[in-house]
Amino acid sequence: MNTASKDLSTESCLDLCRYIDASPSPFHAVAESVRRLEAAGFQELSSDEGRPAAGCWYLRSGGALIAWSDAGCEVDAPLRIIGAHTDSPNLRVKPLPDQGALGLHQVGVEVYGGALLNSWLDRDLGVSGRVVVRDGGRRVEHLVRDDRPVARIPQLAIHLDRDVNDKGLLLNPQVHLTTIVGAGLAEPGAFVKTLAALADVDPVDVLAFDAMFHDVVPSCLSGPDREFVSASRLDDLLSCHAGTEALIATAGKESRRGAGQTVPVLALFDHEEVGSVSATGAAGPFLQRTLRRFVNLDERRVNGGLVLSVDGTHATHPNYMERHDGEHRVLLNGGPVLKFNAKERYATDAPGAAEIRQTAEKAGVPLQSFVSRSDMPCGTTIGPATASGTGLRTVDLGVAQLAMHSAREFCGSEDPWLLGRLLEASLAG
Ligand code: ZN
């Protein structure tokens, strides 16, 4: 990578770090994308409105967001959709969380998604989420967050667990993840009081909450030449960031030239880490309903339509080479990765891969290919659900990373910018 590209790539990564740090929960990720879209002239629609004039619009629902720009587009111009997910594995606070012993206030948690549980130990944790509050005759939703180190799950000392380094760490999520959030025995409702203070409301008005913990250490570029990114929630906020910025850049270009041959769409879904089956997940109706109601889905040409399902990919781990297919090494800073799976856990097919290879070639973006070992099960993502829901050709791809689903993940610092260039080139059709 030459110096000019390296500078752009570093700036893009620093912006990614800002995006991730602004987004401790899926609701905050949507809010951060909305903030950026609004700054670029996108306007909000509510789900029950009629079809608006062509323009730059978005619709949000909880941890999900659909945005598009159809200004100057023909009614049958095909859709170019970037999909990604806002949720990451973490620890979610139970509805009646307060407990504790020995003069400590603790809260009970559930594990959300396939979290690497060990990575949540001995880490300073903040709390974030949303609370729904009674406000006169209405219910109002507040986003809340506390980035101070207000919670901790201390690991058992090795003296009391002598075999841990030989036999591995076993954690019972019901017992061993109960989180210390303060000194003093918990009164009933103590945790709600904390959330109410964050929302600046009276605790008696808090009707319900969705709250979760996050690592409070800010994201950063790491390595002697800043060749890596060290951050929480790279899976999949990296793709949410790249998709948001690609849509903004594409919409900006379209308004300059006055007509678009394709309609760029951004679809950020919640609940991918728990299977996508929800009102705001990729297997739910949110995308299709929005595209039907507002973006003329059924009249649009299928030819030229495309969904890019963008999600984190496993880089080959240098300490565990045997866990990866020997002919499909995936390198950090080797460029975005096309993901293949014969059982359709990824939706990429030959025509889709061929198109992306040509787009990447034109944009000067290197590409890699991932496939699982044949004797190991493969993960999945939003690609298959989006492909079956929209009927459009779908390609699964993403940036390579290590430590996927750890509270702190790791990737190359050139790949996010390369992904952004590829997405932009692809949105343009
Ligand atoms: Zn993911």
Side-chain angles (χ1 to χ4, degrees), residues 40-67:
F42 283 73
Q43 298 175 70
E44 181 162 20
L45 283 172
S46 83
S47 48
D48 297 325
E49 278 182 65
R51 185 170 297 178
C56 295
W57 299 101
Y58 73 87
L59 191 72
R60 64 173 141 184
S61 177
L65 167 76
I66 314 285

PDB file of all heavy atoms in Angstrom, residues 40-67:
ATOM      1  N   ALA A  40     -25.578  13.753   6.501  1.00  0.00           N
ATOM      2  CA  ALA A  40     -25.412  13.705   5.047  1.00  0.00           C
ATOM      3  C   ALA A  40     -26.728  13.986   4.318  1.00  0.00           C
ATOM      4  O   ALA A  40     -26.810  13.823   3.094  1.00  0.00           O
ATOM      5  CB  ALA A  40     -24.873  12.328   4.640  1.00  0.00           C
ATOM      6  N   GLY A  41     -27.786  14.358   5.059  1.00  0.00           N
ATOM      7  CA  GLY A  41     -29.038  14.766   4.421  1.00  0.00           C
ATOM      8  C   GLY A  41     -30.119  13.696   4.372  1.00  0.00           C
ATOM      9  O   GLY A  41     -31.174  13.915   3.777  1.00  0.00           O
ATOM     10  N   PHE A  42     -29.894  12.533   4.972  1.00  0.00           N
ATOM     11  CA  PHE A  42     -30.945  11.497   5.010  1.00  0.00           C
ATOM     12  C   PHE A  42     -32.024  11.911   6.015  1.00  0.00           C
ATOM     13  O   PHE A  42     -31.728  12.526   7.038  1.00  0.00           O
ATOM     14  CB  PHE A  42     -30.352  10.144   5.418  1.00  0.00           C
ATOM     15  CG  PHE A  42     -29.609   9.455   4.317  1.00  0.00           C
ATOM     16  CD1 PHE A  42     -28.354   9.910   3.908  1.00  0.00           C
ATOM     17  CD2 PHE A  42     -30.147   8.348   3.681  1.00  0.00           C
ATOM     18  CE1 PHE A  42     -27.659   9.286   2.888  1.00  0.00           C
ATOM     19  CE2 PHE A  42     -29.457   7.706   2.658  1.00  0.00           C
ATOM     20  CZ  PHE A  42     -28.210   8.174   2.260  1.00  0.00           C
ATOM     21  N   GLN A  43     -33.272  11.554   5.702  1.00  0.00           N
ATOM     22  CA  GLN A  43     -34.384  11.901   6.598  1.00  0.00           C
ATOM     23  C   GLN A  43     -35.117  10.648   7.050  1.00  0.00           C
ATOM     24  O   GLN A  43     -35.183   9.662   6.318  1.00  0.00           O
ATOM     25  CB  GLN A  43     -35.369  12.809   5.873  1.00  0.00           C
ATOM     26  CG  GLN A  43     -34.770  14.141   5.435  1.00  0.00           C
ATOM     27  CD  GLN A  43     -35.790  14.916   4.610  1.00  0.00           C
ATOM     28  OE1 GLN A  43     -36.790  15.391   5.144  1.00  0.00           O
ATOM     29  NE2 GLN A  43     -35.555  15.010   3.316  1.00  0.00           N
ATOM     30  N   GLU A  44     -35.719  10.734   8.246  1.00  0.00           N
ATOM     31  CA  GLU A  44     -36.369   9.568   8.845  1.00  0.00           C
ATOM     32  C   GLU A  44     -37.800   9.405   8.348  1.00  0.00           C
ATOM     33  O   GLU A  44     -38.536  10.375   8.184  1.00  0.00           O
ATOM     34  CB  GLU A  44     -36.364   9.714  10.374  1.00  0.00           C
ATOM     35  CG  GLU A  44     -37.001   8.514  11.070  1.00  0.00           C
ATOM     36  CD  GLU A  44     -36.649   8.406  12.533  1.00  0.00           C
ATOM     37  OE1 GLU A  44     -36.230   9.419  13.126  1.00  0.00           O
ATOM     38  OE2 GLU A  44     -36.803   7.293  13.087  1.00  0.00           O
ATOM     39  N   LEU A  45     -38.195   8.149   8.140  1.00  0.00           N
ATOM     40  CA  LEU A  45     -39.583   7.794   7.865  1.00  0.00           C
ATOM     41  C   LEU A  45     -40.078   6.931   9.012  1.00  0.00           C
ATOM     42  O   LEU A  45     -39.287   6.222   9.626  1.00  0.00           O
ATOM     43  CB  LEU A  45     -39.661   6.930   6.602  1.00  0.00           C
ATOM     44  CG  LEU A  45     -39.532   7.603   5.249  1.00  0.00           C
ATOM     45  CD1 LEU A  45     -39.430   6.530   4.176  1.00  0.00           C
ATOM     46  CD2 LEU A  45     -40.755   8.469   4.990  1.00  0.00           C
ATOM     47  N   SER A  46     -41.383   6.951   9.286  1.00  0.00           N
ATOM     48  CA  SER A  46     -41.895   5.993  10.258  1.00  0.00           C
ATOM     49  C   SER A  46     -42.569   4.865   9.484  1.00  0.00           C
ATOM     50  O   SER A  46     -42.996   5.054   8.339  1.00  0.00           O
ATOM     51  CB  SER A  46     -42.851   6.667  11.233  1.00  0.00           C
ATOM     52  OG  SER A  46     -44.115   6.742  10.655  1.00  0.00           O
ATOM     53  N   SER A  47     -42.668   3.700  10.136  1.00  0.00           N
ATOM     54  CA  SER A  47     -43.046   2.496   9.391  1.00  0.00           C
ATOM     55  C   SER A  47     -44.448   2.574   8.787  1.00  0.00           C
ATOM     56  O   SER A  47     -44.741   1.858   7.840  1.00  0.00           O
ATOM     57  CB  SER A  47     -42.924   1.272  10.292  1.00  0.00           C
ATOM     58  OG  SER A  47     -43.561   1.537  11.512  1.00  0.00           O
ATOM     59  N   ASP A  48     -45.325   3.413   9.306  1.00  0.00           N
ATOM     60  CA  ASP A  48     -46.692   3.449   8.803  1.00  0.00           C
ATOM     61  C   ASP A  48     -46.961   4.598   7.831  1.00  0.00           C
ATOM     62  O   ASP A  48     -48.109   4.811   7.438  1.00  0.00           O
ATOM     63  CB  ASP A  48     -47.670   3.506   9.983  1.00  0.00           C
ATOM     64  CG  ASP A  48     -47.548   2.244  10.832  1.00  0.00           C
ATOM     65  OD1 ASP A  48     -47.293   1.168  10.247  1.00  0.00           O
ATOM     66  OD2 ASP A  48     -47.672   2.328  12.058  1.00  0.00           O
ATOM     67  N   GLU A  49     -45.920   5.330   7.454  1.00  0.00           N
ATOM     68  CA  GLU A  49     -46.123   6.417   6.487  1.00  0.00           C
ATOM     69  C   GLU A  49     -46.361   5.863   5.078  1.00  0.00           C
ATOM     70  O   GLU A  49     -46.065   4.708   4.795  1.00  0.00           O
ATOM     71  CB  GLU A  49     -44.882   7.315   6.452  1.00  0.00           C
ATOM     72  CG  GLU A  49     -44.866   8.329   7.590  1.00  0.00           C
ATOM     73  CD  GLU A  49     -43.659   9.242   7.533  1.00  0.00           C
ATOM     74  OE1 GLU A  49     -43.546  10.017   6.570  1.00  0.00           O
ATOM     75  OE2 GLU A  49     -42.831   9.165   8.453  1.00  0.00           O
ATOM     76  N   GLY A  50     -46.856   6.745   4.205  1.00  0.00           N
ATOM     77  CA  GLY A  50     -46.994   6.370   2.798  1.00  0.00           C
ATOM     78  C   GLY A  50     -45.667   6.505   2.080  1.00  0.00           C
ATOM     79  O   GLY A  50     -44.679   6.934   2.664  1.00  0.00           O
ATOM     80  N   ARG A  51     -45.672   6.135   0.804  1.00  0.00           N
ATOM     81  CA  ARG A  51     -44.424   6.195   0.045  1.00  0.00           C
ATOM     82  C   ARG A  51     -43.984   7.645  -0.158  1.00  0.00           C
ATOM     83  O   ARG A  51     -44.762   8.472  -0.619  1.00  0.00           O
ATOM     84  CB  ARG A  51     -44.614   5.502  -1.311  1.00  0.00           C
ATOM     85  CG  ARG A  51     -43.330   5.425  -2.106  1.00  0.00           C
ATOM     86  CD  ARG A  51     -43.495   4.536  -3.311  1.00  0.00           C
ATOM     87  NE  ARG A  51     -43.781   3.163  -2.899  1.00  0.00           N
ATOM     88  CZ  ARG A  51     -44.018   2.179  -3.765  1.00  0.00           C
ATOM     89  NH1 ARG A  51     -44.020   2.400  -5.048  1.00  0.00           N
ATOM     90  NH2 ARG A  51     -44.256   0.971  -3.317  1.00  0.00           N
ATOM     91  N   PRO A  52     -42.747   7.953   0.170  1.00  0.00           N
ATOM     92  CA  PRO A  52     -42.290   9.341   0.039  1.00  0.00           C
ATOM     93  C   PRO A  52     -41.780   9.607  -1.381  1.00  0.00           C
ATOM     94  O   PRO A  52     -41.602   8.684  -2.177  1.00  0.00           O
ATOM     95  CB  PRO A  52     -41.130   9.403   1.023  1.00  0.00           C
ATOM     96  CG  PRO A  52     -40.543   8.021   0.969  1.00  0.00           C
ATOM     97  CD  PRO A  52     -41.688   7.076   0.699  1.00  0.00           C
ATOM     98  N   ALA A  53     -41.522  10.891  -1.675  1.00  0.00           N
ATOM     99  CA  ALA A  53     -40.846  11.232  -2.934  1.00  0.00           C
ATOM    100  C   ALA A  53     -39.449  10.617  -2.912  1.00  0.00           C
ATOM    101  O   ALA A  53     -38.911  10.325  -1.840  1.00  0.00           O
ATOM    102  CB  ALA A  53     -40.743  12.746  -3.049  1.00  0.00           C
ATOM    103  N   ALA A  54     -38.883  10.421  -4.106  1.00  0.00           N
ATOM    104  CA  ALA A  54     -37.528   9.867  -4.159  1.00  0.00           C
ATOM    105  C   ALA A  54     -36.573  10.790  -3.400  1.00  0.00           C
ATOM    106  O   ALA A  54     -36.735  12.010  -3.405  1.00  0.00           O
ATOM    107  CB  ALA A  54     -37.084   9.728  -5.608  1.00  0.00           C
ATOM    108  N   GLY A  55     -35.588  10.196  -2.731  1.00  0.00           N
ATOM    109  CA  GLY A  55     -34.646  10.990  -1.946  1.00  0.00           C
ATOM    110  C   GLY A  55     -33.778  10.092  -1.093  1.00  0.00           C
ATOM    111  O   GLY A  55     -33.617   8.900  -1.397  1.00  0.00           O
ATOM    112  N   CYS A  56     -33.228  10.657  -0.030  1.00  0.00           N
ATOM    113  CA  CYS A  56     -32.373   9.899   0.881  1.00  0.00           C
ATOM    114  C   CYS A  56     -33.155   9.670   2.171  1.00  0.00           C
ATOM    115  O   CYS A  56     -33.409  10.624   2.917  1.00  0.00           O
ATOM    116  CB  CYS A  56     -31.085  10.673   1.173  1.00  0.00           C
ATOM    117  SG  CYS A  56     -30.048  10.880  -0.278  1.00  0.00           S
ATOM    118  N   TRP A  57     -33.540   8.428   2.425  1.00  0.00           N
ATOM    119  CA  TRP A  57     -34.442   8.110   3.535  1.00  0.00           C
ATOM    120  C   TRP A  57     -33.871   7.014   4.418  1.00  0.00           C
ATOM    121  O   TRP A  57     -33.060   6.206   3.967  1.00  0.00           O
ATOM    122  CB  TRP A  57     -35.800   7.651   2.992  1.00  0.00           C
ATOM    123  CG  TRP A  57     -36.500   8.673   2.168  1.00  0.00           C
ATOM    124  CD1 TRP A  57     -36.558   8.716   0.807  1.00  0.00           C
ATOM    125  CD2 TRP A  57     -37.219   9.819   2.643  1.00  0.00           C
ATOM    126  NE1 TRP A  57     -37.284   9.809   0.398  1.00  0.00           N
ATOM    127  CE2 TRP A  57     -37.707  10.511   1.507  1.00  0.00           C
ATOM    128  CE3 TRP A  57     -37.515  10.323   3.910  1.00  0.00           C
ATOM    129  CZ2 TRP A  57     -38.450  11.665   1.601  1.00  0.00           C
ATOM    130  CZ3 TRP A  57     -38.261  11.479   4.014  1.00  0.00           C
ATOM    131  CH2 TRP A  57     -38.729  12.139   2.863  1.00  0.00           C
ATOM    132  N   TYR A  58     -34.377   6.979   5.656  1.00  0.00           N
ATOM    133  CA  TYR A  58     -34.064   5.829   6.513  1.00  0.00           C
ATOM    134  C   TYR A  58     -35.246   5.528   7.423  1.00  0.00           C
ATOM    135  O   TYR A  58     -36.087   6.390   7.690  1.00  0.00           O
ATOM    136  CB  TYR A  58     -32.785   6.056   7.328  1.00  0.00           C
ATOM    137  CG  TYR A  58     -32.925   7.036   8.475  1.00  0.00           C
ATOM    138  CD1 TYR A  58     -33.352   6.599   9.733  1.00  0.00           C
ATOM    139  CD2 TYR A  58     -32.637   8.382   8.315  1.00  0.00           C
ATOM    140  CE1 TYR A  58     -33.475   7.489  10.786  1.00  0.00           C
ATOM    141  CE2 TYR A  58     -32.769   9.280   9.365  1.00  0.00           C
ATOM    142  CZ  TYR A  58     -33.191   8.828  10.598  1.00  0.00           C
ATOM    143  OH  TYR A  58     -33.332   9.711  11.632  1.00  0.00           O
ATOM    144  N   LEU A  59     -35.261   4.280   7.875  1.00  0.00           N
ATOM    145  CA  LEU A  59     -36.297   3.795   8.793  1.00  0.00           C
ATOM    146  C   LEU A  59     -35.568   2.990   9.844  1.00  0.00           C
ATOM    147  O   LEU A  59     -34.699   2.178   9.501  1.00  0.00           O
ATOM    148  CB  LEU A  59     -37.221   2.877   7.985  1.00  0.00           C
ATOM    149  CG  LEU A  59     -38.514   2.432   8.618  1.00  0.00           C
ATOM    150  CD1 LEU A  59     -39.482   3.603   8.675  1.00  0.00           C
ATOM    151  CD2 LEU A  59     -39.138   1.335   7.752  1.00  0.00           C
ATOM    152  N   ARG A  60     -35.893   3.203  11.128  1.00  0.00           N
ATOM    153  CA  ARG A  60     -35.214   2.402  12.153  1.00  0.00           C
ATOM    154  C   ARG A  60     -36.222   1.690  13.028  1.00  0.00           C
ATOM    155  O   ARG A  60     -37.366   2.134  13.177  1.00  0.00           O
ATOM    156  CB  ARG A  60     -34.295   3.265  12.990  1.00  0.00           C
ATOM    157  CG  ARG A  60     -34.986   4.334  13.793  1.00  0.00           C
ATOM    158  CD  ARG A  60     -33.973   5.003  14.706  1.00  0.00           C
ATOM    159  NE  ARG A  60     -34.213   6.431  14.780  1.00  0.00           N
ATOM    160  CZ  ARG A  60     -33.443   7.271  15.436  1.00  0.00           C
ATOM    161  NH1 ARG A  60     -32.377   6.831  16.064  1.00  0.00           N
ATOM    162  NH2 ARG A  60     -33.711   8.549  15.477  1.00  0.00           N
ATOM    163  N   SER A  61     -35.779   0.600  13.601  1.00  0.00           N
ATOM    164  CA  SER A  61     -36.616  -0.154  14.521  1.00  0.00           C
ATOM    165  C   SER A  61     -35.687  -0.829  15.514  1.00  0.00           C
ATOM    166  O   SER A  61     -34.984  -1.782  15.166  1.00  0.00           O
ATOM    167  CB  SER A  61     -37.431  -1.183  13.734  1.00  0.00           C
ATOM    168  OG  SER A  61     -38.186  -1.964  14.632  1.00  0.00           O
ATOM    169  N   GLY A  62     -35.634  -0.325  16.740  1.00  0.00           N
ATOM    170  CA  GLY A  62     -34.753  -0.913  17.753  1.00  0.00           C
ATOM    171  C   GLY A  62     -33.316  -0.928  17.289  1.00  0.00           C
ATOM    172  O   GLY A  62     -32.727   0.097  16.965  1.00  0.00           O
ATOM    173  N   GLY A  63     -32.738  -2.137  17.203  1.00  0.00           N
ATOM    174  CA  GLY A  63     -31.342  -2.274  16.796  1.00  0.00           C
ATOM    175  C   GLY A  63     -31.175  -2.477  15.296  1.00  0.00           C
ATOM    176  O   GLY A  63     -30.132  -2.955  14.852  1.00  0.00           O
ATOM    177  N   ALA A  64     -32.204  -2.142  14.503  1.00  0.00           N
ATOM    178  CA  ALA A  64     -32.128  -2.333  13.043  1.00  0.00           C
ATOM    179  C   ALA A  64     -32.405  -1.021  12.318  1.00  0.00           C
ATOM    180  O   ALA A  64     -33.104  -0.144  12.827  1.00  0.00           O
ATOM    181  CB  ALA A  64     -33.129  -3.397  12.595  1.00  0.00           C
ATOM    182  N   LEU A  65     -31.853  -0.928  11.117  1.00  0.00           N
ATOM    183  CA  LEU A  65     -31.944   0.311  10.333  1.00  0.00           C
ATOM    184  C   LEU A  65     -31.912  -0.041   8.848  1.00  0.00           C
ATOM    185  O   LEU A  65     -31.096  -0.860   8.422  1.00  0.00           O
ATOM    186  CB  LEU A  65     -30.711   1.172  10.664  1.00  0.00           C
ATOM    187  CG  LEU A  65     -30.409   2.369   9.762  1.00  0.00           C
ATOM    188  CD1 LEU A  65     -31.360   3.517  10.081  1.00  0.00           C
ATOM    189  CD2 LEU A  65     -28.972   2.851   9.979  1.00  0.00           C
ATOM    190  N   ILE A  66     -32.823   0.547   8.069  1.00  0.00           N
ATOM    191  CA  ILE A  66     -32.747   0.439   6.606  1.00  0.00           C
ATOM    192  C   ILE A  66     -32.644   1.861   6.058  1.00  0.00           C
ATOM    193  O   ILE A  66     -33.449   2.724   6.430  1.00  0.00           O
ATOM    194  CB  ILE A  66     -34.013  -0.214   5.991  1.00  0.00           C
ATOM    195  CG1 ILE A  66     -34.460  -1.468   6.746  1.00  0.00           C
ATOM    196  CG2 ILE A  66     -33.811  -0.492   4.510  1.00  0.00           C
ATOM    197  CD1 ILE A  66     -33.659  -2.681   6.540  1.00  0.00           C
ATOM    198  N   ALA A  67     -31.674   2.111   5.196  1.00  0.00           N
ATOM    199  CA  ALA A  67     -31.515   3.442   4.597  1.00  0.00           C
ATOM    200  C   ALA A  67     -31.272   3.261   3.104  1.00  0.00           C
ATOM    201  O   ALA A  67     -30.698   2.258   2.680  1.00  0.00           O
ATOM    202  CB  ALA A  67     -30.342   4.172   5.247  1.00  0.00           C
TER     203      ALA A  67
END
